[in-house]
Amino acid sequence: MDEDKFDNFLAQLLSELQNEIGEEFQSINDVSEKGMDYLVTACHESGIALPEDWPNERLSMLLFLDHPLAFRMAYDLYAWRASSNTMSHFQFSHSEAVVDAEAIGLFKASTESFFHGQGKGDDCKIRHYQEDDGAHLLLVARGDHIQALSVWEGGNERTTFPRPLREDLLRYDPANGVLSIKAYGRSTAEVKHYVQAWTTEVLGKNQAELFTQTVVSLDPIKAGRFNYDGNELIEWIRLVDLRLTLYASKPITVRISSEDVVNSLSVDLRSIRLSGATLRSVKLAFKLNYDGASAKPVLVEVTPPNVTRMNRKKDEDIINSYLRAEGILLV
């Protein structure tokens, strides 16, 4: 079976089946290329002996064919790493609550009821994993509003009405009581529900025990205290985008973008002083310096009071540690 024979075999199948097989091969390739550590974790968690000297692709195919639950785990964790990491963060007071199957079941029932009430269907599946550092990762597969979709079928046009599947990501770190949420779409209703359901169904608390105050702060940048020099793992940091409000006769919202906004402010825009403005959001470029680091700077967007976005999840721990030390992340 070579590439040509395989293509000829696929060509004999219905287009829907061709697409399904193509998507499965893409999944196998993606997780083998960028999530080998998760394939190894899935083997260990599932009690699967790790074959010696196997290439990544062969191990990924083995799990896909013979251990589908282990492959699903590896792919879920890879999807968490690879996802566009726009997160909302919420901090709870210290809790000894146990995040077990019973708590997840209550959370699932509440979530099913919520999406049913939103007209987004009754189907909801939650996959729960615990990471090495003790944090809990939940992937919530659920429906969205039904859409009209025109398709070709047997040479004729036909309109179908599918319900799209969406996947939201939640991560809870019991060490600092922070729940981080990435929900599909622009609506805030899903995020509000997840916070409320996690508060009551999992932690057994009420809304008053949730700290909704600032979880991220731009005060160190505003006051000029932020250190852009980096450390042994970070070669340098640059402020590359800034949105702020100036107060004159009327408030003026300004956005400044350049390769180095700090330098631009000191050389070309001296009339703008951060100390007298309200900073709305910033984008920082991190040039990392370690074996395997990306050649391109990693972009990190910070928007108070509780939103961060990062385009390379692999470096999250290094960058978050630095932001925490510099007073940007407060948890």
Side-chain angles (χ1 to χ4, degrees):
M1 178 68 75
D2 58 23
E3 185 174 347
D4 290 337
K5 290 180 180 178
F6 185 72
D7 287 340
N8 291 335
F9 168 74
L10 285 181
Q12 301 173 34
L13 304 177
L14 295 174
S15 59
E16 291 85 355
L17 191 54
Q18 290 183 43
N19 292 335
E20 182 179 345
I21 292 174
E23 290 172 358
E24 289 176 341
F25 269 101
Q26 188 65 57
S27 298
I28 294 167
N29 180 74
D30 287 348
V31 74
S32 66
E33 188 177 80
K34 303 174 183 176
M36 181 58 182
D37 51 338
Y38 289 140
L39 290 170
V40 173
T41 297
C43 286
H44 291 162
E45 291 290 329
S46 303
I48 301 169
L50 193 63
E52 294 185 9
D53 302 324
W54 274 29
N56 300 1
E57 295 82 0
R58 189 177 181 186
L59 178 60
S60 184
M61 180 65 79
L62 169 72
L63 296 188
F64 179 83
L65 293 175
D66 295 344
H67 307 279
L69 292 180
F71 180 83
R72 179 76 256 182
M73 174 185 181
Y75 190 81
D76 282 345
L77 294 173
Y78 157 75
W80 160 251
R81 170 188 287 174
S83 65
S84 174
N85 192 26
T86 301
M87 307 293 293
S88 298
H89 309 278
F90 303 87
Q91 187 176 36
F92 296 85
S93 57
H94 182 69
S95 173
E96 298 294 339
V98 178
V99 184
D100 57 10
E102 180 181 357
I104 298 300
L106 293 172
F107 178 81
K108 180 176 184 292
S110 175
T111 299
E112 287 175 336
S113 177
F114 167 78
F115 283 114
H116 175 78
Q118 294 276 309
K120 297 182 177 181
D122 298 321
D123 295 319
C124 176
K125 292 184 178 179
I126 296 179
R127 297 188 291 276
H128 170 223
Y129 306 104
Q130 188 163 5
E131 299 184 296
D132 292 340
D133 60 1
H136 296 270
L137 180 63
L138 277 77
L139 292 94
V140 182
R142 47 85 174 182
D144 204 343
H145 295 298
I146 290 176
Q147 298 178 356
L149 181 66
S150 296
V151 298
W152 287 105
E153 187 174 276
N156 298 312
E157 295 180 55
R158 183 171 68 88
T159 301
T160 65
F161 299 90
R163 184 182 298 282
L165 184 149
R166 309 300 186 194
E167 195 164 66
D168 300 329
L169 303 169
L170 289 77
R171 184 179 188 271
Y172 178 69
D173 187 348
N176 55 21
V178 172
L179 176 67
S180 300
I181 301 171
K182 176 185 179 292
Y184 174 85
R186 297 182 179 181
S187 172
T188 60
E190 287 81 4
V191 172
K192 290 179 179 178
H193 162 73
Y194 288 137
V195 171
Q196 183 273 329
W198 194 266
T199 305
T200 57
E201 307 297 346
V202 179
L203 300 182
K205 294 179 175 292
N206 58 57
Q207 199 72 9
E209 295 178 275
L210 168 67
F211 295 121
T212 56
Q213 293 85 7
T214 300
V215 178
V216 297
S217 171
L218 300 181
D219 286 347
I221 293 175
K222 177 178 178 178
R225 298 193 308 269
F226 186 81
N227 179 15
Y228 295 93
D229 293 336
N231 55 27
E232 66 276 6
L233 298 176
I234 302 171
E235 189 172 333
W236 47 256
I237 306 105
R238 288 178 186 158
L239 179 62
V240 296
D241 192 274
L242 172 66
R243 191 167 63 89
L244 71 160
T245 299
L246 300 170
Y247 296 95
S249 58
K250 292 183 179 180
I252 305 172
T253 298
V254 179
R255 180 179 178 183
I256 305 170
S257 298
S258 76
E259 292 184 358
D260 188 340
V261 171
V262 172
N263 182 68
S264 297
L265 289 172
S266 64
V267 175
D268 303 310
L269 300 169
R270 298 181 195 178
S271 62
I272 298 178
R273 297 190 178 278
L274 299 186
S275 59
T278 298
L279 274 56
R280 302 298 181 185
S281 67
V282 303
K283 188 177 291 184
L284 297 164
F286 281 75
K287 182 64 173 72
L288 300 178
N289 182 25
Y290 67 88
D291 187 23
S294 171
K296 296 181 179 180
V298 178
L299 296 180
V300 180
E301 187 174 338
V302 181
T303 304
N306 60 0
V307 176
T308 62
R309 175 178 179 143
M310 195 176 305
N311 66 351
R312 186 173 162 90
K313 181 116 185 103
K314 177 181 178 182
D315 301 312
E316 180 184 38
D317 290 344
I318 294 173
I319 292 173
N320 281 350
S321 177
Y322 193 85
L323 293 176
R324 194 172 290 114
E326 290 296 313
I328 300 293
L329 282 182
L330 304 181
V331 295

